[in-house]
């Protein structure tokens, strides 16, 4: 078990790869290129996918490549990182709607090969267990992540206090995330208070991980994640335990890093 390996060998040092690019568009292009390389080298890849504003540009470029160059995604299997709980799945702010709008309706990934937790499940714990079971039957080849806003340093919805070996589960949303999300909900009564998310343990089981961060709002979190102590206070810092993780940053997100090259 991968997490056991981390425990036995700790402390040890891995060196995350850090790629710093001039603009946010360069991050989109880099991420789309890596996605396409993955699919071309292994058409039946299993991918973990994020939502949010960060990957929108990457998805746009993938759709463009599919339409213009016939990028074939028919053998791909996808697992989203997370979904709100207690939100109609056809609500425009649900991650199911997001994925439909930004990727799925434009490309040829069969419906049966796309997975997102059910935001309408009556019991989030049962839904989380079901998602965990589907996910762990597969080996994820590449997990693509964003990082939470402000000081959250969340990946998926694994907020502060999440353990390195956490599994798919119900997680309440932290205050900063609720605040940011309020922009997507004109009716404040509709704002979901919780989510179903892959755990840190699930994410770390991917063969490769690529975290994307753009903009000054991510600068503090990126510095804390890469240069602060590893631990539950900054859940994204656990990625530094993974042997093949790349942080793809624009200049704005990288601006507070002391050391702007790969290293631990
Ligand atoms: C979304 C997810 C979250 C986001 C994070 C950043 O699936 O897992 O961790 O990646 O909240 O969101 P944006 O990109 O909107 O800043």
């Amino acid at each position: 078990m991968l997490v056991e390996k981390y425990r036995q060998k700790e402390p040890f040092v891995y060196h995350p790869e850090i790629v710093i690019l001039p603009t946010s568009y360069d991050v989109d292009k880099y991420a789309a290129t890596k996605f396409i390389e993955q699919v071309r080298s292994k058409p039946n890849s299993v991918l973990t996918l994020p939502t949010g504003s960060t990957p929108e540009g990457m998805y746009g470029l993938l759709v463009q490549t599919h339409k213009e160059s016939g990028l074939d995604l028919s053998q791909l299997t996808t697992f989203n990182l997370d979904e709100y709980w207690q939100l109609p799945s056809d609500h425009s702010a649900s991650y199911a709607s997001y994925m439909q709008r930004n990727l799925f309706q434009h490309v040829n990934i069969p419906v049966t090969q796309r997975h997102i937790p059910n935001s309408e499940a009556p019991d989030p714990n049962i839904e989380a267990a079901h998602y965990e079971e589907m996910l762990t039957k597969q080996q994820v080849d590449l997990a693509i992540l964003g990082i939470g806003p402000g000081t959250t340093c969340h990946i998926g919805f694994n907020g502060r206090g999440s353990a390195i070996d956490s599994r798919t589960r119900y997680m309440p949303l932290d205050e900063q995330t609720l605040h940011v999300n309020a922009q997507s909900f004109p009716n404040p009564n509709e704002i979901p208070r919780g989510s179903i998310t892959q755990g840190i343990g699930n994410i770390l089981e991917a063969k490769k991980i690529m975290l994307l961060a753009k903009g000054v709002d991510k600068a503090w979190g990126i510095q804390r994640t890469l240069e602060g102590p590893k631990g539950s206070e900054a859940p994204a810092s656990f990625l530094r335990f993974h042997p093949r993780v790349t942080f793809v940053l624009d200049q704005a997100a990288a601006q507070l890093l002391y050391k702007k090259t790969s290293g631990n």
Side-chain angles (χ1 to χ4, degrees):
M1 178 82 179
L2 199 59
V3 169
E4 285 306 313
K5 193 177 82 184
Y6 297 135
R7 287 218 179 96
Q8 283 160 23
K9 290 194 179 169
E10 205 178 350
F12 65 92
V13 176
Y14 277 125
H15 295 280
E17 181 186 22
I18 302 173
V19 177
I20 302 174
L21 300 165
T23 69
S24 65
Y25 181 59
D26 294 317
V27 172
D28 300 341
K29 281 194 294 187
Y30 186 97
T33 302
K34 290 291 166 191
F35 189 119
I36 293 164
E37 277 174 17
Q38 177 66 43
V39 175
R40 294 219 163 113
S41 66
K42 186 180 175 201
N44 62 347
S45 290
V46 181
L47 302 185
T48 278
L49 296 179
T51 56
S53 57
T54 307
E56 278 176 4
M58 174 190 76
Y59 290 134
L61 291 170
L62 292 172
V63 170
Q64 190 183 336
T65 311
H66 173 74
K67 290 196 170 144
E68 292 174 2
S69 318
L71 176 69
D72 180 21
L73 302 180
S74 63
Q75 294 181 58
L76 211 58
T77 296
T78 64
F79 285 90
N80 269 76
L81 273 166
D82 44 19
E83 174 60 287
Y84 294 121
W85 183 63
Q86 278 193 323
L87 186 69
S89 58
D90 61 359
H91 188 289
S92 63
S94 78
Y95 289 168
S97 298
Y98 172 103
M99 290 306 295
Q100 202 56 31
R101 211 166 42 238
N102 286 287
L103 186 67
F104 293 154
Q105 73 182 23
H106 309 287
V107 299
N108 63 338
I109 308 171
V111 178
T112 50
Q113 290 161 217
R114 313 168 192 164
H115 305 87
I116 305 183
N118 179 3
S119 62
E120 300 182 39
D123 182 330
N125 298 317
I126 294 175
E127 176 60 15
H130 172 61
Y131 202 70
E132 169 81 14
E133 196 188 337
M134 289 191 297
L135 178 62
T136 49
K137 279 189 186 139
Q138 310 268 351
Q139 164 71 69
V140 174
D141 294 290
L142 172 65
I144 304 175
L145 316 174
I147 184 168
T151 57
T152 60
C153 296
H154 70 222
I155 46 175
F157 275 127
N158 295 284
R160 267 185 197 190
S162 297
I164 189 170
D165 54 0
S166 51
R167 310 302 303 180
T168 311
R169 66 206 186 288
Y170 172 80
M171 277 296 284
L173 298 178
D174 60 70
E175 283 306 320
Q176 288 179 68
T177 304
L178 286 170
H179 179 73
V180 171
N181 288 352
Q183 295 157 9
S184 317
F185 293 91
N187 176 355
N189 296 328
E190 286 185 329
I191 302 176
R193 315 290 304 179
S195 66
I196 296 167
T197 183
Q198 290 191 27
I200 309 261
N202 300 98
I203 293 169
L204 291 175
E205 281 168 4
K207 286 189 197 162
K208 281 181 290 180
I209 300 176
M210 177 168 68
L211 181 144
L212 314 177
K214 308 194 286 197
V216 63
D217 290 352
K218 300 296 169 71
W220 189 95
I222 287 296
Q223 196 278 331
R224 172 67 185 83
T225 292
L226 284 167
E227 296 180 340
K230 300 182 202 118
S232 300
E233 281 297 297
S237 66
F238 285 130
L239 296 174
R240 286 156 56 199
F241 285 110
H242 195 282
R244 294 184 74 191
V245 59
T246 305
F247 286 76
V248 186
L249 316 172
D250 67 5
Q251 298 260 6
Q255 65 184 279
L256 296 179
L257 289 178
Y258 293 101
K259 211 170 138 201
K260 299 205 188 324
T261 52
S262 296
N264 220 25

